[in-house]
Amino acid sequence: MAEDQNNKENTTTSDTNNTSEYEDVCYICRRPESVAGKMIHIQNDICICQDCMQKTFDTMNNGTFNMGDFMNMNMGKMPNISMINLADLQNAVPNKQKLKKKKPKDEQPKPELDIHSIPAPHKIKARLDEYVVGQEHAKKVMSVAVYNHYKRVMEDTNDGVEIEKSNMLMIGPTGSGKTYLVKTLARLLDVPLAITDATSLTEAGYIGDDIESVVSKLLAAADNDVERAEHGIIFIDEIDKIAKKRNANQRDVSGESVQQGMLKLLEGAEIEVPVGASSKNAMVPMTTVDTKNILFICGGAFEGLDSVIKKRTESSSLGFGGKVKSKEDDNNVMKRVVPHDLVKFGIVPELVGRLPVITVLDELDEDALCRILTEPKNSLIKQYTKLFKLDNIDFEITEDAKREIAKRTIEEKTGARGLRAIVEKILTKLMFEAPSDDEIVGIKITAECVRGEAEPEITRAVSSTRKK
């Protein structure tokens, strides 16, 4: 009995400590305690602010409340009163729509990032090299941009010099590593990261996510800690899909309108965002997030941008003075991009001006794809080797097979993502049968297997020696 009592007290203390980190939110008006004032706690740990409680009493005292109507409504909605359904809160997710309390200024908490804890650009690139193969120029540009951004966050503005924010635009074909670079970077710096597609964004008032929803996702990634979210990273993918439409006769609610709405976010503004939801409504608490110190990274494939660049840079190839083009010139045409080309593509000039750092990722060649298969810490071959090792099976793939997988990926133009699809197709049958066959102790993939000319080589034990 004494032990059970101690466990109960420890659990209660733990719950109290966890909830003390968050602000109470009024169930009716959804305002946090820092805005609405001290809360009144009722059954099931429901909080109601004093204003809403007073309005409820005033409505009842003014005679607009009829007990007969109340009985007929079965605890439904009453005029001017939002009734509380206690049953709806039984399975509610704890702290999902609660804000973390801001620390008092006199405590002077230690910042999560300082100038000594941020790795130097060469260290950031070295860490990226462990997970990302190739893209040397892009990794250098990203390392410098991130290092300068967080120096700007911690700068001392007493001297009157204020460093402007350097948001980034990444241009590269699908499967070249844009999203993977951003994920690795956020993990390295230990800052919250929100990833969203620009294709799901629409102008405010239309069906879909509005612009502020990207900041709400970052707040959720920071565990509803506003101070931590204000130093995070937001990656907006498929930014090229919201380019201006050529037809100007209709309202472009998911193109130019979204670009105009993104301007205030990238520049830095105080945005009112919902907590624990993607859209604003009366039943969701709201909070204010300052995007001044949030690093925005935009990415996209920009299909068709190469033709815009060629039209600007190349003259006619006819006649004696015509320029002879090589295949190498066609491969490097994207690296000659300038902001004016992006405007011609359909990105509004105001948005281009707020993305000063532009980096172009290379299309992965055969050598790079072969290295991606084996070199990174979590490479594809290492993943499958571990999967088979859990069943006490040795997995091997020949160099010729790796080359063949890389060639097929280039033919399909799927980038690094296509590597897994090809390997899965080869190994699906074996991964289904091998766990139930105790005699299989080794699997070898050859180039003939990749081309579909032969089955994988299977090594079997003389007796059933594999333990499950």
Side-chain angles (χ1 to χ4, degrees):
M1 293 293 293
E3 184 178 354
D4 294 340
Q5 183 68 20
N6 292 334
N7 292 335
K8 185 175 181 180
E9 292 178 357
N10 293 335
T11 304
T12 305
T13 305
S14 177
D15 294 340
T16 303
N17 293 335
N18 291 334
T19 55
S20 63
E21 297 179 3
Y22 293 86
E23 290 188 76
D24 292 329
V25 178
C26 177
Y27 183 77
I28 298 178
C29 68
R30 311 309 296 173
R31 292 184 300 169
E33 189 176 14
S34 59
V35 177
K38 191 172 180 61
M39 297 289 173
I40 299 172
H41 293 261
I42 60 176
Q43 186 181 357
N44 284 19
D45 198 24
I46 297 174
C47 305
I48 301 178
C49 68
Q50 297 182 10
D51 292 340
C52 293
M53 186 65 74
Q54 187 62 45
K55 289 179 182 178
T56 305
F57 291 147
D58 292 342
T59 303
M60 298 176 68
N61 292 332
N62 289 336
T64 58
F65 174 70
N66 190 343
M67 182 57 70
D69 295 337
F70 172 73
M71 298 299 294
N72 294 331
M73 286 184 292
N74 292 326
M75 296 298 291
K77 290 185 178 180
M78 293 185 293
N80 302 323
I81 302 178
S82 297
M83 294 304 297
I84 302 170
N85 188 357
L86 302 182
D88 293 341
L89 300 182
Q90 296 295 332
N91 299 322
V93 180
N95 301 331
K96 181 180 178 182
Q97 291 187 345
K98 289 187 178 182
L99 287 172
K100 279 197 173 182
K101 294 180 179 179
K102 293 185 177 181
K103 298 177 181 178
K105 294 182 179 180
D106 53 359
E107 290 186 8
Q108 296 181 354
K110 182 181 178 181
E112 296 184 7
L113 292 172
D114 55 53
I115 194 62
H116 303 291
S117 63
I118 297 178
H122 71 279
K123 292 183 179 180
I124 297 177
K125 182 184 178 299
R127 184 66 181 274
L128 292 175
D129 289 338
E130 297 178 1
Y131 295 91
V132 182
V133 172
Q135 313 296 0
E136 297 298 321
H137 177 70
K139 286 188 286 190
K140 289 181 181 179
V141 172
M142 179 176 287
S143 301
V144 173
V146 170
Y147 182 68
N148 289 338
H149 171 74
Y150 283 104
K151 281 198 299 184
R152 168 188 174 274
V153 171
M154 297 171 295
E155 69 170 330
D156 184 7
T157 57
N158 293 332
D159 56 359
V161 179
E162 184 177 355
I163 304 173
E164 294 185 358
K165 185 164 61 169
S166 297
N167 297 313
M168 188 185 309
L169 175 63
M170 303 173 66
I171 302 174
T174 179
S176 57
K178 299 185 295 294
T179 306
Y180 197 62
L181 274 169
V182 178
K183 285 184 177 179
T184 306
L185 189 64
R187 187 167 60 247
L188 168 63
L189 298 175
D190 192 23
V191 295
L193 169 69
I195 300 177
T196 186
D197 283 341
T199 53
S200 64
L201 303 178
T202 58
E203 186 180 356
Y206 289 83
I207 295 177
D209 294 336
D210 55 8
I211 315 299
E212 289 81 2
S213 65
V214 299
V215 184
S216 182
K217 291 180 180 179
L218 181 65
L219 183 62
D223 197 20
N224 292 348
D225 189 344
V226 176
E227 296 178 0
R228 190 164 182 260
E230 290 178 347
H231 296 87
I233 299 175
I234 293 179
F235 178 58
I236 304 177
D237 202 3
E238 307 293 349
I239 193 70
D240 55 317
K241 303 302 187 296
I242 61 171
K244 288 194 299 183
K245 304 297 187 294
R246 303 302 178 187
N247 184 11
N249 296 328
Q250 59 184 5
R251 187 174 183 85
D252 193 5
V253 298
S254 61
E256 184 178 1
S257 300
V258 175
Q259 295 186 47
Q260 298 290 348
M262 289 174 58
L263 299 181
K264 60 179 181 179
L265 293 184
L266 272 65
E267 185 72 19
E270 293 186 354
I271 307 297
E272 192 177 34
V273 298
V275 180
S278 60
S279 60
K280 300 177 181 178
N281 58 74
M283 297 304 295
V284 175
M286 307 292 292
T287 187
T288 302
V289 178
D290 191 354
T291 65
K292 179 181 179 181
N293 294 326
I294 297 177
L295 178 63
F296 286 86
I297 302 177
C298 300
F302 286 88
E303 292 288 341
L305 181 61
D306 53 348
S307 61
V308 176
I309 300 174
K310 289 179 181 178
K311 188 176 181 180
R312 173 181 58 84
T313 58
E314 296 180 358
S315 58
S316 175
S317 59
L318 300 176
F320 293 102
K323 181 181 178 182
V324 179
K325 296 184 296 181
S326 64
K327 188 175 181 180
E328 184 179 357
D329 294 334
D330 291 337
N331 294 335
N332 296 329
V333 65
M334 294 291 286
K335 294 185 178 180
R336 300 198 294 268
V337 64
V338 296
H340 181 68
D341 297 329
L342 298 173
V343 175
K344 284 283 187 182
F345 184 82
I347 307 299
V348 296
E350 298 89 345
L351 183 60
V352 175
R354 286 166 172 81
L355 298 169
V357 181
I358 301 177
T359 179
V360 179
L361 278 71
D362 301 319
E363 189 170 359
L364 299 173
D365 56 11
E366 186 177 318
D367 292 334
L369 290 172
C370 289
R371 293 174 57 197
I372 290 173
L373 278 171
T374 56
E375 288 187 10
K377 280 190 173 182
N378 58 341
S379 66
L380 199 61
I381 300 302
K382 293 177 181 177
Q383 293 179 34
Y384 282 101
T385 301
K386 184 175 181 179
L387 282 174
F388 283 109
K389 197 68 177 178
L390 295 174
D391 290 327
N392 297 320
I393 299 175
D394 295 329
F395 177 72
E396 181 184 356
I397 182 169
T398 63
E399 291 295 330
D400 293 338
K402 298 175 186 175
R403 288 282 173 185
E404 196 66 30
I405 293 174
K407 289 179 182 178
R408 288 192 57 183
T409 304
I410 294 175
E411 292 174 359
E412 297 174 1
K413 296 182 179 180
T414 52
R417 293 189 184 94
L419 295 173
R420 179 178 288 274
I422 296 174
V423 178
E424 280 282 345
K425 186 176 181 180
I426 299 170
L427 296 176
T428 298
K429 183 179 179 182
L430 279 174
M431 288 189 291
F432 177 79
E433 297 176 352
S436 59
D437 192 342
D438 294 342
E439 295 182 355
I440 299 178
V441 294
I443 295 174
K444 183 178 181 180
I445 304 299
T446 61
E448 289 77 12
C449 301
V450 181
R451 291 193 293 265
E453 300 172 356
E455 294 293 329
E457 298 180 6
I458 299 177
T459 303
R460 296 181 179 275
V462 177
S463 60
S464 179
T465 58
R466 210 179 82 203
K467 295 181 179 180
K468 294 298 290 179

